[in-house]
Amino acid sequence: MKLMITVVTFLLLCSVMLLSFSNIFKHLLLGATIYGSKYSVKPRDKLLGGLLTADFDEGSCLSRYDQSMRKPSPYKPSGYLISKLRSYEMLHKRCGPGTDAYKRATEQLGHSDENHVRSSGDECRYVVWMPMFGLGNRILSLTSVFLYALLTERVMLVDQRNDITDLFCEPFPGTSWLLPLDFPLTDQLDSYNRKHSHCYGTMLKNHAINSTTIPSHLYLDIFHDSRDQDKMFFCEGDQAIIGKVPWLVAKSNLYFVPSLWMIPSFQTQLLKLFPQKDTAFHHLSRYLFHPTNQVWDMVTRSYNAYLSRADEILGIQVRVFSRPAGYFQHVMDQILSCTQRETLLPELVSPESQVTNTSRSPKLKAVLVTSLHPEYSDTLKNMFWERPTSTGEIIEVYQPSGERIQQTESKLHDQKALAEIYLLSLTDKLVTSTRSTFGYVAQGIGGLKPWILYEPRNNKAPDPPCVKAMSMEPCFLRAPLHGCQAKTIKITPFVKYCEDWFSGLKIVDVSNEF
């Protein structure tokens, strides 16, 4: 009898232990998420801390909520930014294409331009974004225009006559950010330039606009070579006038966010939106830009095939500005000098001192190279194939494409470029080229502070070869350093001259506020 009781007790204890282990194992399985070859028991935050809304169908745009390849961002959006985005979504839904408000607003464009007065305080105002230059420039300028729309409570609409619908999903729920093709000014959009009678700089020059003479629409020219009159857009007094204009059409190839920070009426809002000041592009780009399923398929297939098994991923983005561009030994020397000096890549063992690596599980480092010229990755690949590393690491080099020439506005070329930007954003460490908007976008989306390769001079590798970026924010190349913001630039602690371009400005995060 005692023996039977003992056996039953033993069986009961075993059952309890097995059930306990089963529950623990089940819990781990439910909480586990694969990130590359690493596991985390924390569930992925598919809404990015509230940055995104859950109002979309996941299958329609796989990239929107897919966090399986991405590292959790250490930068959390502020409650004010989240609230502002939800308010903007409501505004866009109320004023966007197909609404009565949009119809009324477009009808105003056919009326007399002078002495325009809005009929009531609830009328909608708009800013139309026009794509200019390459993909990197377009993403940077679109982000800048969207932030301006947030700050001024305008509805942003984007010109859909290029390949934007092949690149990005709709970012705003229940409505569209695409400018309808029957927009009354569609036939004029391409003709807008700084000589146009509705260009703000030209109207200032001709004394054709003031606080009482308000046109129905304005063209904003914000380029690297804009005139001083066009740069008046960044002045407080001019914003008071521009704010009364119902329709703005913006063309830009720049990330002009740093100069928005220095407009006094905007700065109070910006400090609330981005308490950590150098996160503006990081948060806005992750909110706005979600690659289409076709592009995301390129990203996931490349990542899973070539990068996911690595213990660490290094991204190297190579842009050669010399003409003609191509493979240059001094650029290759510069890349090696930077990556080895900063211990991003190991040195090679000399042939006479080669020792067989006895480690059974050597560290695997994947090197993702993006360049129009495949010779840079080929050189790296051959180097690490022919000789072992001093650290015993295994180095695998991968380049998704090598188009040799930039094919702006080619659908497939832009899709490949966008996929490569997102692959770079998934790296652990990043090296970029000076003044490269392609690199700026990748570092911002990924929340990375890259090492920036200095521009070579006289066909020689510069010394030092690279510099660590002060922040992950893109540079405002050719910022308006003179004029109404000249004094403000000098006394604003969180605005610095860019590491890679002396006439550019970028936002850095500092504890002491302006």
Side-chain angles (χ1 to χ4, degrees):
M1 186 67 178
K2 289 183 179 179
L3 179 61
M4 183 178 294
I5 294 173
T6 302
V7 171
V8 171
T9 303
F10 175 76
L11 291 173
L12 286 172
L13 286 172
C14 287
S15 299
V16 171
M17 291 173 66
L18 285 171
L19 181 61
S20 177
F21 282 126
S22 176
N23 288 335
I24 293 172
F25 184 65
K26 182 179 178 181
H27 176 75
L28 289 172
L29 280 178
L30 289 172
T33 302
I34 297 176
Y35 171 67
S37 60
K38 312 169 190 72
Y39 286 80
S40 170
V41 295
K42 291 184 178 180
R44 290 290 174 178
D45 175 18
K46 71 176 186 178
L47 299 183
L48 306 181
L51 199 63
L52 305 182
T53 175
D55 294 343
F56 286 96
D57 170 56
E58 295 193 22
S60 64
C61 185
L62 297 174
S63 67
R64 192 188 315 276
Y65 301 124
D66 182 7
Q67 303 301 318
S68 62
M69 297 176 291
R70 300 169 177 171
K71 299 183 295 292
S73 173
Y75 310 103
K76 304 304 178 186
S78 68
Y80 185 69
L81 174 60
I82 293 170
S83 173
K84 193 76 171 177
L85 291 174
R86 298 294 89 82
S87 296
Y88 176 84
E89 290 163 1
M90 293 173 62
L91 173 68
H92 200 111
K93 193 176 294 186
R94 178 170 64 85
C95 299
T99 63
D100 291 339
Y102 174 82
K103 183 179 179 181
R104 289 194 299 271
T106 53
E107 288 173 350
Q108 295 172 356
L109 290 171
H111 295 166
S112 174
D113 281 340
E114 294 191 1
N115 300 316
H116 172 84
V117 179
R118 286 184 287 152
S119 59
S120 65
D122 64 350
E123 290 297 313
C124 304
R125 296 176 304 145
Y126 301 82
V127 55
V128 175
W129 171 83
M130 294 283 294
M132 303 300 295
F133 290 72
L135 181 61
N137 299 89
R138 283 179 270 161
I139 292 174
L140 293 177
S141 67
L142 181 50
T143 306
S144 304
V145 170
F146 178 65
L147 179 56
Y148 180 72
L150 274 186
L151 294 169
T152 57
E153 297 185 347
R154 289 182 179 271
V155 172
M156 184 186 75
L157 299 173
V158 303
D159 181 13
Q160 62 172 304
R161 295 173 301 158
N162 61 0
D163 59 4
I164 192 164
T165 55
D166 299 312
L167 298 174
F168 299 111
C169 305
E170 292 273 5
F172 312 131
T175 183
S176 176
W177 69 341
L178 300 177
L179 181 71
L181 294 174
D182 61 356
F183 177 61
L185 302 180
T186 296
D187 293 339
Q188 304 178 41
L189 292 177
D190 293 331
S191 66
Y192 283 125
N193 56 43
R194 61 196 60 167
K195 295 181 180 180
H196 197 281
S197 60
H198 275 271
C199 177
Y200 184 61
T202 298
M203 295 191 81
L204 285 178
K205 187 177 180 180
N206 297 335
H207 305 288
I209 186 172
N210 55 48
S211 58
T212 57
T213 305
I214 302 298
S216 62
H217 70 283
L218 274 178
Y219 162 61
L220 304 174
D221 185 278
I222 310 173
F223 287 93
H224 60 283
D225 58 350
S226 291
R227 303 166 300 178
D228 289 343
Q229 294 95 333
D230 297 303
K231 296 175 184 176
M232 296 292 287
F233 168 79
F234 297 107
C235 299
E236 180 75 39
D238 293 77
Q239 278 300 319
I241 297 173
I242 293 170
K244 298 178 181 179
V245 181
W247 286 91
L248 303 177
V249 176
K251 290 184 180 180
S252 177
N253 64 337
L254 299 167
Y255 181 72
F256 56 82
V257 167
S259 285
L260 295 181
W261 275 91
M262 290 179 287
I263 298 174
S265 60
F266 293 167
Q267 192 176 106
T268 302
Q269 269 200 83
L270 285 165
L271 289 170
K272 292 170 64 178
L273 287 168
F274 309 106
Q276 190 167 348
K277 302 172 191 66
D278 63 348
T279 61
F281 183 80
H282 179 62
H283 290 317
L284 293 178
S285 62
R286 294 193 310 150
Y287 171 78
L288 270 185
F289 303 116
H290 308 289
T292 59
N293 287 352
Q294 185 175 356
V295 175
W296 198 241
D297 182 56
M298 295 181 187
V299 176
T300 54
R301 282 189 288 108
S302 292
Y303 184 87
N304 291 333
Y306 299 101
L307 306 176
S308 62
R309 295 180 297 106
D311 297 292
E312 183 177 277
I313 307 172
L314 170 66
I316 302 178
Q317 181 262 330
V318 185
R319 173 70 189 270
V320 179
F321 284 98
S322 62
R323 295 183 180 179
Y327 177 81
F328 297 99
Q329 187 59 48
H330 66 273
V331 176
M332 190 70 240
D333 293 340
Q334 180 184 5
I335 294 169
L336 290 173
S337 176
C338 173
T339 53
Q340 292 181 342
R341 181 182 298 198
E342 302 296 335
T343 66
L344 302 173
L345 282 177
E347 295 186 0
L348 298 175
V349 175
S350 60
E352 59 272 13
S353 61
Q354 287 189 18
V355 177
T356 303
N357 181 25
T358 58
S359 174
R360 292 186 177 181
S361 55
K363 183 179 179 181
L364 173 61
K365 178 175 286 188
V367 181
L368 170 70
V369 180
T370 65
S371 174
L372 291 173
H373 311 286
E375 293 87 353
Y376 293 101
S377 63
D378 289 342
T379 300
L380 283 173
K381 193 178 299 182
N382 290 334
M383 285 175 50
F384 290 107
W385 165 253
E386 294 168 359
R387 291 162 58 186
T389 62
S390 59
T391 59
E393 292 174 288
I394 302 298
I395 308 297
E396 290 186 355
V397 181
Y398 167 60
Q399 179 168 343
S401 69
E403 305 278 292
R404 296 202 175 275
I405 58 172
Q406 185 171 335
Q407 303 167 47
T408 302
E409 295 186 9
S410 164
K411 172 184 170 180
L412 184 58
H413 177 86
D414 282 348
Q415 287 181 325
K416 289 180 180 179
L418 183 60
E420 292 187 2
I421 284 174
Y422 272 83
L423 284 170
L424 284 174
S425 77
L426 298 173
T427 60
D428 299 298
K429 295 176 182 177
L430 181 62
V431 176
T432 62
S433 297
T434 183
R435 293 188 291 127
S436 172
T437 56
F438 193 98
Y440 291 160
V441 174
Q443 75 191 42
I445 294 174
L448 301 165
K449 295 180 183 178
W451 284 263
I452 305 173
L453 296 167
Y454 285 118
E455 186 171 3
R457 302 290 182 184
N458 302 318
N459 294 327
K460 292 182 179 179
D463 186 18
C466 58
V467 61
K468 184 70 179 290
M470 294 178 285
S471 77
M472 58 188 168
E473 275 286 284
C475 175
F476 180 8
L477 300 166
R478 302 294 178 89
L481 303 180
H482 309 289
C484 62
Q485 293 191 345
K487 182 178 178 181
T488 309
I489 292 170
K490 294 179 181 179
I491 62 173
T492 305
F494 52 80
V495 176
K496 304 291 184 184
Y497 293 103
C498 300
E499 306 91 342
D500 53 335
W501 194 244
F502 63 91
S503 62
L505 296 177
K506 72 185 302 184
I507 300 297
V508 300
D509 192 59
V510 292
S511 56
N512 52 321
E513 296 197 351
F514 168 44

